[in-house]
Amino acid sequence: MTTPQHVIATYIIETSMPLLHAAEVLAGEQSTGTFVRVARESDDVRARFAAQVESVDELEPSAFAPLPGTIGDPAERRRARLRLRFPLDNFGPSLPNLLAAVAGNLFELKELAAVRLVDLELPSAFSDRYAGPAYGVAGTRRLMGRPDGAMIGTIIKPSIGLSPDELAEVVQELCDAGIDFIKDDELQGNSPASPLVERVRAVMPVLERHADRTGRKPMYAFNITDDIDRLEANHDLVVRAGGTCVMACINLIGLAGLEYLRRRSALPIHGHRAMFGAIGRSEQIGISFRAWQKLARLSGADHLHTNGISNKFYETDAAVLDSIAAVREPLLGLTPTVPVLSSGQWGGLAHATHAAVGTTDLLVLAGGGIHGHPDGARAGVESMRDAWASAARGDSVQDALAASQPLRRATELFGPARD
Amino acid sequence: MTTPQHVIATYIIETSMPLLHAAEVLAGEQSTGTFVRVARESDDVRARFAAQVESVDELEPSAFAPLPGTIGDPAERRRARLRLRFPLDNFGPSLPNLLAAVAGNLFELKELAAVRLVDLELPSAFSDRYAGPAYGVAGTRRLMGRPDGAMIGTIIKPSIGLSPDELAEVVQELCDAGIDFIKDDELQGNSPASPLVERVRAVMPVLERHADRTGRKPMYAFNITDDIDRLEANHDLVVRAGGTCVMACINLIGLAGLEYLRRRSALPIHGHRAMFGAIGRSEQIGISFRAWQKLARLSGADHLHTNGISNKFYETDAAVLDSIAAVREPLLGLTPTVPVLSSGQWGGLAHATHAAVGTTDLLVLAGGGIHGHPDGARAGVESMRDAWASAARGDSVQDALAASQPLRRATELFGPARD
């Protein structure tokens, strides 16, 4: 049971030990320290501090080879969903210290042939300490002047290598195309070849001129990822130039780095998930997106990459849709974070996505879907906006295609639209 | 070839694509952005910024199931060691931005059935920017008053739950036992049940009294892991009380958090690797210890956990010994980091460890090996010191057993000593 004084962590484990024994090894290792009692580990200590096995539900076995170093008879291997209850008092509402308990040494236990943290239930002490997003959906919409409908965005390509003048040209084209949002690539940090200061200098006048003319300033997420001590200066550079968003690669500055940035940021933070695959892709080890995104939201991510359906990466549509749903679920009263759909996105995916997620409170990023549209970027943006508006009205894909020339033209390149 | 202007990243991959094609997909995704050319991706851009495939060496196939979402015919799957050369100009000597290139989205590539970053060759620009350890082996020895021989340490157990008075008692026992080093458990951060300030208040007078009496102050690594904004205050608390070491869980504050702490720390930083298993245990995905430890050393870890032989966790002796060797290899002229051997350590492992690593510039942590010695903690410390001194002299295990009653007694509990 969830209480204000406990954290519940859910794992999928495989083990050749009896399931309850393996669960107790895990709980012991991650709380009072050892499965075997040591001196001064009194009943009182165990009662107050021991993690408790809340439930063990056996699952169908997997076909995976055990993780390296696993002990026990492979023929005895079983799989289970395991819920452990940790006293909040063991770590307090500190995300780094929470992680030591729920995601620390446990990945190295040789009793476990697989171990994956798949969910976390956190008490409100965490939202008392961590503010979460400052802008979220509503703040992002306000800053980009897009009060409703899917927010349509793109990534600067090529990822790296553009001169400031070329970058300004690309941004101008995208402004003219009616884009809501543009972001640096995660590979474009603050490199000698394209320093952040020069990118800001090149981009902002283009955005400002566009805003003067149209009343709308597209949001540009400048990638300010760098050492912790440089984050604030990088952020301030963007603020001073009139920018409206900073981007950070969460796993590269750390969740703790994101939280540090959040405390200083005057702008929405676009949270990129680069390196997430290292902990998230295997089904045998690591941390699921569902668990990780809670930590990222508490740490202040206004936007959070979820991938999109029909993407170029490894994730199935079901996994992506679960990620989007997870980011949209309420979390301790925090301001809602915007899911960011990207990779292989184009207008023809709007209906299928909308049917599954039921909202347009999304930032949908298309690279080829915009830059690569047969009639250019303007038609690319229109094709996406038309498709999302149609989906939001409840029209069919066929209606959308009949009504939108840019969407029809997009299908010539990207194939049939999905419904 | 390594040049001052390039980083070389080594991967083990599996793929059902032709190996060179998969290598080029990886190189493309992580540099100029796409395998397919986009507008403004000129020959000049590719020449300057594209990552180059340095070598592809086919390996024996593995027996693992492909990572989720992998495309291609499993029957065609091949395995290779792949070296990619990245222009430093793509990211500059910034560790977070380096990671975007060498360890970012690539883990999500569906062309790869396995992908693991196993090594990094970094140019001196990184050591120009990152100072590495401030104390390392020599500084640690000086502070703890142990000029030679293995440094013998232990972990406070139970991990959590001791009152300040009980903690002081344990520390007193360990001081009396002649210990060099004591550390908080990684589960003991700054919890409501045992705030750092109270631990410091309880522990430091014991250490100071011992130092007054003996001239030697054992080093106590206070676990100061917490939000970035609390690290400096936590560190300062330890410094003001006369402490000589702070401990941080590197993956929980992030490598960037470690680097932030390094810039402010007046003390050696004891680097714990909690959560490393999430990226390090699988042979199919993530980052090897050999690659990761370079980043941790650059970021300032004076001590770095490597695990020990015959440990309680999943790692083989060969893997542990490779980790210890990796930490001891020179890296860009940095001050040498102390490998920290822990888990299941006792005196009977000294000869086998020394034979493999050839040094006593190690911090060897024993929990049960000290607290659990049949004749108490003092005999536990003596058994370890005797064993390591014997090993360092080149004596045999039999000589050591003949000469040391505490070591002989240890074998009654822990079994035969290894040679």
Side-chain angles (χ1 to χ4, degrees), chain A residues 28-34 38-42 45 48-49 63-71 88-97 99-115 129-130 157-162 166 169-170 173 185-194 223-230 249 251-257 259-260 263-264 272-279 281-287 307 311-316, chain B residues 28-34 38-42 45 48-49 63-70 88-97 99-115 129-130 157-162 166 169-170 173 185-194 223-230 249 251-257 259-260 263-264 272-279 281-287 307 311-316:
Chain A
E29 178 68 29
Q30 297 306 121
S31 60
T32 45
T34 44
V38 297
R40 295 191 180 79
E41 188 180 347
S42 63
V45 164
R48 274 189 69 195
F49 299 102
F64 296 116
L67 287 170
T70 303
I71 56 171
L88 179 62
D89 250 13
N90 290 17
F91 32 76
S94 160
L95 290 177
N97 289 315
L99 286 170
V102 301
N105 282 351
L106 58 92
F107 297 110
E108 306 203 22
L109 290 171
K110 64 187 172 190
E111 289 83 359
L112 302 179
V115 49
R129 174 147 156 186
Y130 297 102
K157 294 283 175 191
S159 312
I160 49 178
L162 292 182
E166 290 171 318
E169 274 175 35
V170 174
E173 285 170 19
D185 197 89
E186 84 279 4
L187 296 173
Q188 185 59 276
N190 193 9
S191 66
S194 183
N223 182 2
I224 66 164
T225 302
D226 211 331
D227 297 335
I228 304 285
D229 278 312
R230 297 183 180 213
C249 293
N251 295 307
L252 312 187
I253 63 171
L255 285 158
E259 197 271 332
Y260 173 93
R263 290 188 182 272
R264 288 153 179 81
H272 196 280
R273 70 178 212 181
M275 203 198 271
F276 177 73
I279 60 164
R281 182 168 175 185
S282 170
E283 290 174 22
Q284 294 187 271
I285 200 155
I287 303 176
N307 218 334
N311 65 77
K312 294 181 303 174
F313 291 109
Y314 77 93
E315 283 189 302
T316 62
Chain B
E29 179 69 28
Q30 297 306 118
S31 60
T32 45
T34 43
V38 298
R40 293 191 183 80
E41 188 181 348
S42 62
V45 165
R48 275 189 68 194
F49 299 102
F64 297 117
L67 288 169
T70 302
L88 178 63
D89 250 13
N90 289 16
F91 32 75
S94 159
L95 290 178
N97 290 315
L99 286 170
V102 301
N105 281 352
L106 58 93
F107 297 110
E108 306 201 22
L109 290 171
K110 63 186 171 189
E111 289 83 358
L112 302 179
V115 49
R129 174 148 157 187
Y130 298 103
K157 295 283 175 188
S159 311
I160 49 178
L162 293 182
E166 290 171 316
E169 273 174 36
V170 175
E173 285 170 19
D185 197 89
E186 85 279 3
L187 296 172
Q188 186 58 277
N190 193 9
S191 66
S194 184
N223 181 2
I224 65 164
T225 301
D226 211 332
D227 297 335
I228 304 285
D229 278 312
R230 298 184 179 213
C249 292
N251 295 307
L252 312 187
I253 62 171
L255 285 159
E259 196 271 333
Y260 173 93
R263 290 188 182 274
R264 288 154 179 81
H272 196 281
R273 70 177 212 182
M275 201 197 274
F276 177 72
I279 59 164
R281 183 168 175 186
S282 170
E283 289 175 22
Q284 293 189 272
I285 200 156
I287 302 176
N307 218 333
N311 65 77
K312 294 182 303 178
F313 291 109
Y314 77 93
E315 282 189 301
T316 62

Side-chain angles (χ1 to χ4, degrees), chain A residues 155-303:
Chain A
I155 307 116
I156 295 290
K157 294 283 175 191
S159 312
I160 49 178
L162 292 182
S163 70
D165 285 351
E166 290 171 318
L167 176 60
E169 274 175 35
V170 174
V171 172
Q172 183 66 61
E173 285 170 19
L174 291 165
C175 285
D176 293 342
I179 202 90
D180 296 321
F181 177 92
I182 310 169
K183 69 178 273 291
D184 284 331
D185 197 89
E186 84 279 4
L187 296 173
Q188 185 59 276
N190 193 9
S191 66
S194 183
L196 177 66
V197 63
E198 289 188 23
R199 298 206 308 281
V200 170
R201 196 178 293 142
V203 166
M204 287 312 303
V206 179
L207 299 181
E208 296 292 0
R209 277 199 308 273
H210 184 80
D212 289 345
R213 207 166 59 237
T214 65
R216 290 183 54 253
K217 192 198 285 191
M219 180 175 277
Y220 191 106
F222 288 98
N223 182 2
I224 66 164
T225 302
D226 211 331
D227 297 335
I228 304 285
D229 278 312
R230 297 183 180 213
L231 292 176
E232 189 168 8
N234 288 354
H235 162 273
D236 292 352
L237 180 69
V238 175
V239 170
R240 277 199 307 273
T244 57
C245 187
V246 291
M247 160 176 159
C249 293
I250 299 171
N251 295 307
L252 312 187
I253 63 171
L255 285 158
L258 173 61
E259 197 271 332
Y260 173 93
L261 174 60
R262 164 66 179 89
R263 290 188 182 272
R264 288 153 179 81
S265 184
L267 302 176
I269 301 170
H270 185 80
H272 196 280
R273 70 178 212 181
M275 203 198 271
F276 177 73
I279 60 164
R281 182 168 175 185
S282 170
E283 290 174 22
Q284 294 187 271
I285 200 155
I287 303 176
S288 75
F289 186 81
R290 182 165 278 274
W292 181 82
Q293 58 89 25
K294 291 186 181 178
L295 306 172
R297 287 161 68 192
L298 273 167
S299 301
D302 291 281
H303 311 159

Side-chain angles (χ1 to χ4, degrees), chain B residues 310-350:
Chain B
S310 295
N311 65 77
K312 294 182 303 178
F313 291 109
Y314 77 93
E315 282 189 301
T316 62
D317 289 354
V320 167
L321 293 172
D322 186 62
S323 293
I324 298 169
V327 171
R328 288 182 36 78
E329 278 171 19
L331 177 62
L332 299 171
L334 300 184
T335 298
T337 289
V338 185
V340 182
L341 285 56
S342 68
S343 180
Q345 299 302 291
W346 68 288
L349 302 176

Side-chain angles (χ1 to χ4, degrees), chain B residues 40-122:
Chain B
R40 293 191 183 80
E41 188 181 348
S42 62
D43 288 345
D44 177 58
V45 165
R46 282 176 87 93
R48 275 189 68 194
F49 299 102
Q52 304 293 334
V53 178
E54 184 86 354
S55 63
V56 181
D57 295 306
E58 189 159 3
L59 304 172
E60 288 297 307
S62 84
F64 297 117
L67 288 169
T70 302
I71 56 170
D73 178 357
E76 297 287 309
R77 192 140 53 92
R78 293 159 76 191
R79 186 156 158 269
R81 174 180 296 264
L82 168 66
R83 297 174 82 233
L84 296 187
R85 182 155 48 92
F86 292 84
L88 178 63
D89 250 13
N90 289 16
F91 32 75
S94 159
L95 290 178
N97 290 315
L98 166 72
L99 286 170
V102 301
N105 281 352
L106 58 93
F107 297 110
E108 306 201 22
L109 290 171
K110 63 186 171 189
E111 289 83 358
L112 302 179
V115 49
R116 188 160 160 78
L117 175 65
V118 296
D119 206 355
L120 280 171
E121 294 164 54
L122 301 171

Side-chain angles (χ1 to χ4, degrees), chain B residues 131-192:
Chain B
Y135 288 85
V137 173
T140 297
R141 287 192 177 285
R142 180 170 49 77
L143 284 173
M144 65 171 57
R146 178 63 58 197
D148 49 37
M151 297 168 265
I152 307 298
T154 191
I155 305 115
I156 295 291
K157 295 283 175 188
S159 311
I160 49 178
L162 293 182
S163 70
D165 284 352
E166 290 171 316
L167 177 60
E169 273 174 36
V170 175
V171 172
Q172 183 67 62
E173 285 170 19
L174 291 165
C175 285
D176 293 343
I179 201 91
D180 297 322
F181 177 92
I182 310 169
K183 67 177 275 290
D184 284 332
D185 197 89
E186 85 279 3
L187 296 172
Q188 186 58 277
N190 193 9
S191 66

